[in-house]
Amino acid sequence: GGVGFGYNAFHLHNFFPNAKVLRNKYKTYGHPVDGAMEIPLGDIHEDVRVMVGCAFNGTSDPEKKYQYKLVKDGLDSLKGPKPLAFQVPGYVEARMTELKQMLNRDGHFDGIK
Protein backbone atom coordinates (compact mmCIF):
# COMPACT_ATOMS: atom_id res chain seq x y z
CA GLY A 1 0.00 0.00 0.00
CA GLY A 2 0.95 3.61 -0.36
CA VAL A 3 2.48 3.47 -3.85
CA GLY A 4 1.08 6.28 -5.93
CA PHE A 5 -0.35 8.22 -2.99
CA GLY A 6 0.68 11.82 -2.34
CA TYR A 7 2.09 11.08 1.12
CA ASN A 8 4.12 8.37 2.77
CA ALA A 9 4.02 8.98 6.53
CA PHE A 10 2.48 10.89 9.39
CA HIS A 11 4.97 12.56 11.70
CA LEU A 12 4.28 13.78 15.21
CA HIS A 13 6.80 15.36 17.57
CA ASN A 14 4.72 15.84 20.71
CA PHE A 15 1.54 17.31 22.08
CA PHE A 16 1.44 20.78 23.65
CA PRO A 17 -1.02 21.62 26.43
CA ASN A 18 -1.34 25.23 25.25
CA ALA A 19 0.04 27.72 22.75
CA LYS A 20 2.31 29.34 25.33
CA VAL A 21 4.23 26.07 25.75
CA LEU A 22 4.37 25.65 21.96
CA ARG A 23 5.66 29.20 21.54
CA ASN A 24 8.25 28.68 24.28
CA LYS A 25 9.52 25.59 22.47
CA TYR A 26 10.22 27.68 19.37
CA LYS A 27 11.71 30.49 21.47
CA THR A 28 14.16 28.31 23.40
CA TYR A 29 14.91 24.99 21.66
CA GLY A 30 17.43 24.10 18.97
CA HIS A 31 16.91 26.90 16.46
CA PRO A 32 15.30 29.75 18.44
CA VAL A 33 12.78 31.95 16.61
CA ASP A 34 12.98 35.66 17.41
CA GLY A 35 9.62 36.94 18.60
CA ALA A 36 8.15 33.45 19.01
CA MET A 37 6.08 34.60 21.97
CA GLU A 38 4.48 37.47 20.02
CA ILE A 39 4.39 36.78 16.27
CA PRO A 40 1.45 34.98 14.65
CA LEU A 41 1.71 31.24 15.27
CA GLY A 42 1.70 30.54 11.54
CA ASP A 43 4.82 32.65 11.12
CA ILE A 44 6.88 30.70 13.66
CA HIS A 45 7.58 27.66 11.49
CA GLU A 46 6.15 25.96 8.43
CA ASP A 47 4.99 22.99 10.53
CA VAL A 48 3.03 25.34 12.80
CA ARG A 49 1.58 27.13 9.76
CA VAL A 50 0.30 23.78 8.51
CA MET A 51 -1.17 22.92 11.93
CA VAL A 52 -3.01 26.26 12.16
CA GLY A 53 -4.24 26.02 8.59
CA CYS A 54 -5.38 22.45 9.11
CA ALA A 55 -7.36 23.38 12.22
CA PHE A 56 -9.33 26.00 10.32
CA ASN A 57 -9.53 24.12 6.99
CA GLY A 58 -7.22 26.58 5.26
CA THR A 59 -5.56 25.97 1.94
CA SER A 60 -2.08 26.91 0.77
CA ASP A 61 -1.49 29.88 -1.48
CA PRO A 62 -0.83 28.27 -4.89
CA GLU A 63 1.64 31.08 -5.73
CA LYS A 64 3.94 30.15 -2.82
CA LYS A 65 6.25 27.16 -2.73
CA TYR A 66 5.75 25.27 0.51
CA GLN A 67 7.19 21.91 1.42
CA TYR A 68 3.80 20.91 2.84
CA LYS A 69 0.62 22.09 1.18
CA LEU A 70 -2.80 22.35 2.73
CA VAL A 71 -5.58 20.98 0.58
CA LYS A 72 -9.33 21.49 0.72
CA ASP A 73 -11.01 19.00 3.07
CA GLY A 74 -7.62 18.02 4.58
CA LEU A 75 -7.69 14.53 6.04
CA ASP A 76 -10.87 13.60 4.19
CA SER A 77 -9.18 14.35 0.87
CA LEU A 78 -6.33 11.87 1.43
CA LYS A 79 -6.50 8.57 -0.39
CA GLY A 80 -5.00 5.38 0.95
CA PRO A 81 -4.25 4.14 4.45
CA LYS A 82 -4.40 6.43 7.48
CA PRO A 83 -3.03 5.87 10.99
CA LEU A 84 -5.17 3.55 13.11
CA ALA A 85 -5.97 6.28 15.66
CA PHE A 86 -7.53 8.32 12.85
CA GLN A 87 -9.91 5.43 12.18
CA VAL A 88 -11.30 5.39 15.75
CA PRO A 89 -14.75 7.01 15.67
CA GLY A 90 -14.63 10.48 17.18
CA TYR A 91 -10.84 10.63 17.63
CA VAL A 92 -10.09 13.12 14.86
CA GLU A 93 -12.99 15.35 15.85
CA ALA A 94 -11.95 15.35 19.53
CA ARG A 95 -8.33 16.20 18.77
CA MET A 96 -9.38 18.91 16.30
CA THR A 97 -11.72 20.44 18.89
CA GLU A 98 -8.85 20.54 21.42
CA LEU A 99 -6.53 22.13 18.86
CA LYS A 100 -9.07 24.80 17.86
CA GLN A 101 -9.69 25.64 21.52
CA MET A 102 -5.95 26.01 22.11
CA LEU A 103 -5.55 28.27 19.07
CA ASN A 104 -8.59 30.37 19.94
CA ARG A 105 -7.27 30.90 23.49
CA ASP A 106 -3.97 32.10 21.98
CA GLY A 107 -5.90 34.39 19.64
CA HIS A 108 -2.91 35.28 17.50
CA PHE A 109 -2.81 32.73 14.73
CA ASP A 110 -2.98 34.69 11.50
CA GLY A 111 -0.21 33.95 9.05
CA ILE A 112 -1.92 30.76 7.86
CA LYS A 113 -1.04 31.17 4.18
Side-chain angles (χ1 to χ4, degrees):
V3 175
F5 297 116
Y7 61 93
N8 62 10
F10 289 84
H11 184 86
L12 176 69
H13 282 278
N14 45 359
F15 293 101
F16 295 94
N18 57 55
K20 184 176 180 180
V21 173
L22 172 67
R23 288 176 175 282
N24 189 61
K25 180 244 188 227
Y26 281 97
K27 176 184 176 185
T28 60
Y29 288 56
H31 305 284
V33 175
D34 289 336
M37 300 304 284
E38 299 86 26
I39 64 176
L41 278 170
D43 291 344
I44 290 176
H45 189 275
E46 183 174 358
D47 291 346
V48 179
R49 180 192 59 79
V50 170
M51 175 193 71
V52 172
C54 177
F56 295 103
N57 203 24
T59 56
S60 294
D61 183 338
E63 299 298 316
K64 294 186 179 177
K65 294 184 188 229
Y66 293 119
Q67 181 176 358
Y68 307 109
K69 296 220 180 236
L70 291 166
V71 294
K72 185 173 175 12
D73 297 323
L75 185 63
D76 291 334
S77 72
L78 299 178
K79 306 293 183 229
K82 295 178 179 86
L84 292 177
F86 290 10
Q87 298 173 36
V88 173
Y91 175 82
V92 171
E93 294 80 6
R95 294 294 304 150
M96 191 60 72
T97 296
E98 291 173 6
L99 177 59
K100 286 178 182 179
Q101 289 171 346
M102 180 182 88
L103 294 171
N104 283 323
R105 279 191 296 272
D106 181 70
H108 194 54
F109 51 82
D110 49 331
I112 292 174
K113 291 189 176 188

